[in-house]
Amino acid sequence: KAGVTQTPRYLIKTRGQQVTLSCSPISGHRSVSWYQQTPGQGLQFLFEYFSETQRNKGNFPGRFSGRQFSNSRSEMNVSTLELGDSALYLCASSSGPGRELFFGSGTQLSVL
Amino acid sequence: EDQVTQSPEALRLQEGESSSLNCSYTVSGLRGLFWYRQDPGKGPEFLFTLYSAGEEKEKERLKATLTKKESFLHITAPKPEDSATYLCAVQAADDYKLSFGAGTTVTVRA
């Protein structure tokens, strides 16, 4: 069974640009979550989707957005990039509430 | 707000030297407590889920236990390949997100 797939693996952008990250969950998983990981803040929750609906959102500015498609694949978008957005963005999928999250390898975003 | 505190921040062990990692938490109604292992440049790898106080789970050299306020991850006779950052996370009963601790970085020397 294939794991969670995230693309691209690495991204370099400049301030003010926007970026879209993609995530394909484990087959059969309908819940997809996104996390930001930085050395200073650790893992911070961004948002969670289930059946194309956002069920929960973390404390991030509106520049961070996401969506989920009918095949459970998900994308997240960051507009007007800032230097502080440099981080590892992790996608995780789950089979349901209370069940373990399985993480992808992440997208390492560098904003110059 | 859910809070998760892990200690120590870093742990250096000699191969075969057993030790324990601590995760203390505050959450309004625990749905589950999760342990993950993360290697540099990779996403967290799931280890255990604990749901209620008194529960224990084991996998190879790792054993996780849970009380009402904290969880321990015991590493028995560690090997160099056990070197990683170990993350603890909680999920509240009325929520879907995981709140993570900062992690404990374990280094096992041969």
Side-chain angles (χ1 to χ4, degrees), chain A residues 22-67:
Chain A
S22 180
C23 172
S24 293
I26 290 173
S27 178
H29 286 189
R30 294 164 65 189
S31 171
V32 174
S33 303
W34 289 89
Y35 290 79
Q36 180 197 66
Q37 186 174 32
T38 59
Q41 298 296 316
L43 274 150
Q44 301 285 314
F45 172 75
L46 282 158
F47 24 68
E48 189 257 352
Y49 288 88
F50 181 83
S51 292
E52 302 178 66
T53 300
Q54 185 182 91
R55 290 198 296 195
N56 204 352
K57 189 178 192 305
N59 296 323
F60 280 82
R63 300 185 296 106
F64 291 81
S65 63
R67 59 178 176 169

Side-chain angles (χ1 to χ4, degrees), chain A residues 99-112:
Chain A
R99 301 306 303 271
E100 57 271 22
L101 268 62
F102 292 94
F103 285 85
S105 295
T107 294
Q108 184 66 55
L109 172 65
S110 297
V111 182
L112 306 177

Side-chain angles (χ1 to χ4, degrees), chain B residues 2-9 21-26 35 69-71 88-90 99-104:
Chain B
D2 305 337
Q3 288 197 331
V4 181
T5 304
Q6 291 188 246
S7 61
E9 289 185 16
L21 284 55
N22 178 264
C23 170
S24 61
Y25 64 91
T26 304
W35 281 98
K69 301 246 173 168
E70 57 190 351
S71 177
C88 170
V90 297
S99 298
F100 281 85
T104 295

